[in-house]
């Protein structure tokens, strides 16, 4: 009898423990379509809309001010964005525990970053820089010498960084260090490849930077607005609030805006003229055939 009572008590105790564990478990909510609430069904959507509108106005205003200030300031904006982007990517695979055993190793990323910056922007901006300092004989000779040996300077900086990396290798940390070394180079390729094309386009004419950037802004705004009022069909699980209605509405609006903006922006020489130096003054030039309207007439026989 005692054994039966003990067995009954133990089974009751285990059932209670199971019940407690089940009560402490988080019961998953019923899965919603596409993993979230669509904007059209969100009760707080108007509050969110006003917050987004307020921040959008400020961002567009700041962007317009930078564009108004000219080529050099737009390039500086691109460089600042580039630095913050590289910082986020550097931290993506960073492990604080391993970095504690590698003092100064994190600076190596930035050494390679600024070496790549000197290489890329040195080649892109060498001629505008020479044109800017031509009136000053001393500066002209100094800048010309730097440009002449720019490749050699970048090469020695890279070799110095590679030697720095070799000297910081530690036993039991090889895998982490080589992974960070490879990750740094992948970041440099991704970041500087696109930014170099962007800066080259800026100095060929602000038009080539402003038009695609404006179309991206328009696409993003109208995807939100159309999805806000008419979105019913989820688009992708990665972004639950995006809808097919917003995607289609933004696509149509962007294509129409491309023709309208190209026609408007192409009329201003300050936007279409290439910049040959690093000054910030207004530009005047003979617009190329791409920016001159062509009229076609058909004969009516």
């Amino acid at each position: 009898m005692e054994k039966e009572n003990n067995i009954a008590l133990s089974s009751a105790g285990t059932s209670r423990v199971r019940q407690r564990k089940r009560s402490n478990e988080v019961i998953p909510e019923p899965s919603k379509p596409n993993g979230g609430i669509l904007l059209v069904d969100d009760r707080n959507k108007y509050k969110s809309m006003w917050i987004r509108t307020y921040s959008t106005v400020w961002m567009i205003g700041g962007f317009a001010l930078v564009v108004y200030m000219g080529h050099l300031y737009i390039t500086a904006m691109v460089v600042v964005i580039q630095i913050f982007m590289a910082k986020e990517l550097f931290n993506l695979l960073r492990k604080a525990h391993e970095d504690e055993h590698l003092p100064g190793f994190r600076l190596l990323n930035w050494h390679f970053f600024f070496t790549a910056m000197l290489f890329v922007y040195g080649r892109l901006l060498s001629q505008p820089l020479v044109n800017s300092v031509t009136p000053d004989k001393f500066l002209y000779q100094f800048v010309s010498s730097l440009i002449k040996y720019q490749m050699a300077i970048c090469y020695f900086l890279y070799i110095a960084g590679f030697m720095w990396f070799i000297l910081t290798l530690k036993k039991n940390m090889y895998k982490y260090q080589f992974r960070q070394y490879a990750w740094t180079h992948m970041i440099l390729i991704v970041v500087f490849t696109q930014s170099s094309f962007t800066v080259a386009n800026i100095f060929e004419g602000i038009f080539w930077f402003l038009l695609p950037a404006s179309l991206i802004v328009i696409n993003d705004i109208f995807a939100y607005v159309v999805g806000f009022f008419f979105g019913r069909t989820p688009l992708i699980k990665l972004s639950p609030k995006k809808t097919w209605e917003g995607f289609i509405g933004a696509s149509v609006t962007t294509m129409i805006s491309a023709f309208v903006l190209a026609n408007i922006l192409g009329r201003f020489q300050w936007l279409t003229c290439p910049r040959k130096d690093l000054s910030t003054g207004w530009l005047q030039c003979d617009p190329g055939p791409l920016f001159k309207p062509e009229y076609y007439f058909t004969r009516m026989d």
Side-chain angles (χ1 to χ4, degrees):
M1 292 293 291
E2 291 180 357
K3 291 182 178 179
E4 292 177 356
N5 291 334
N6 291 334
I7 293 171
L9 289 172
S10 62
S11 62
T14 53
S15 63
R16 287 175 185 171
V17 171
R18 288 174 183 171
Q19 288 177 357
R20 288 175 184 172
K21 287 182 178 179
R22 288 175 183 172
S23 63
N24 292 331
E25 289 178 356
V26 178
I27 300 174
E29 296 180 358
S31 60
K32 299 174 183 176
N34 210 25
I37 301 174
L38 298 176
L39 281 173
V40 73
D41 299 322
D42 192 353
R43 295 180 179 178
N44 298 321
K45 65 177 185 177
Y46 287 102
K47 181 180 178 181
S48 174
M49 182 187 71
W50 284 115
I51 294 174
R52 286 173 176 263
T53 303
Y54 181 78
S55 59
T56 300
V57 170
W58 276 103
M59 285 191 290
I60 292 177
F63 178 74
L65 178 62
V66 173
V67 171
Y68 175 79
M69 294 174 71
H71 303 69
L72 194 60
Y73 291 92
I74 300 173
T75 303
M77 179 185 68
V78 172
V79 171
V80 171
I81 294 173
Q82 185 180 32
I83 291 172
F84 280 100
M85 184 167 63
K87 181 182 177 182
E88 292 296 324
L89 292 173
F90 284 148
N91 292 331
L92 196 60
L93 292 184
R94 181 181 180 182
K95 294 182 180 179
H97 177 70
E98 281 78 356
D99 283 352
E100 290 178 358
H101 302 283
L102 299 169
F105 183 73
R106 189 54 49 186
L107 293 175
L108 189 60
N109 293 336
W110 293 107
H111 173 81
F112 284 119
F113 178 84
F114 287 109
T115 300
M117 182 178 289
L118 178 63
F119 174 76
V120 172
Y121 293 129
R123 292 174 66 87
L124 286 175
L125 303 179
S126 58
Q127 193 57 48
L129 182 60
V130 169
N131 294 338
S132 299
V133 300
T134 299
D136 192 314
K137 186 177 180 180
F138 173 77
L139 281 178
Y140 177 77
Q141 292 177 348
F142 178 71
V143 170
S144 299
S145 300
L146 286 179
I147 293 173
K148 182 179 179 180
Y149 298 106
Q150 185 241 353
M151 291 289 291
I153 293 170
C154 293
Y155 175 76
F156 283 113
L157 285 174
Y158 182 83
I159 294 299
F162 182 74
M163 293 175 62
W164 182 359
F165 169 73
I166 296 298
L167 293 173
T168 56
L169 288 174
K170 285 191 176 182
K171 193 175 181 181
N172 300 325
M173 303 288 291
Y174 295 151
K175 184 177 180 180
Y176 175 74
Q177 288 181 281
F178 275 99
R179 185 167 63 237
Q180 289 292 316
Y181 183 79
W183 180 244
T184 300
H185 284 70
M186 289 300 298
I187 291 171
L188 297 181
I189 292 172
V190 171
V191 171
F192 281 101
T193 299
Q194 57 183 344
S195 64
S196 62
F197 290 128
T198 302
V199 173
N201 282 339
I202 291 170
F203 279 86
E204 287 297 321
I206 296 177
F207 175 91
W208 301 111
F209 169 79
L210 184 58
L211 179 61
S214 300
L215 293 178
I216 292 171
V217 174
I218 290 171
N219 183 275
D220 193 46
I221 290 175
F222 278 91
Y224 177 79
V225 171
V226 176
F228 185 90
F229 290 105
F230 307 106
R232 290 290 181 183
T233 310
L235 181 61
I236 54 175
K237 292 183 179 180
L238 184 63
S239 185
K241 295 186 178 182
K242 292 190 182 300
T243 61
W244 276 103
E245 291 82 1
F247 172 74
I248 295 171
S251 300
V252 173
T253 307
T254 303
M255 286 187 285
I256 296 173
S257 300
F259 288 98
V260 175
L261 280 178
N263 186 24
I264 295 173
L265 298 178
R267 299 177 183 180
F268 298 95
Q269 292 186 12
W270 181 69
L271 296 176
T272 59
C273 293
R275 172 68 71 180
K276 301 298 183 182
D277 54 22
L278 298 181
S279 61
T280 57
W282 290 89
L283 289 173
Q284 289 184 349
C285 65
D286 182 22
L290 190 63
F291 300 104
K292 292 179 180 180
E294 294 285 344
Y295 300 96
Y296 298 92
F297 301 96
T298 57
R299 290 185 177 181
M300 299 296 292
D301 294 332

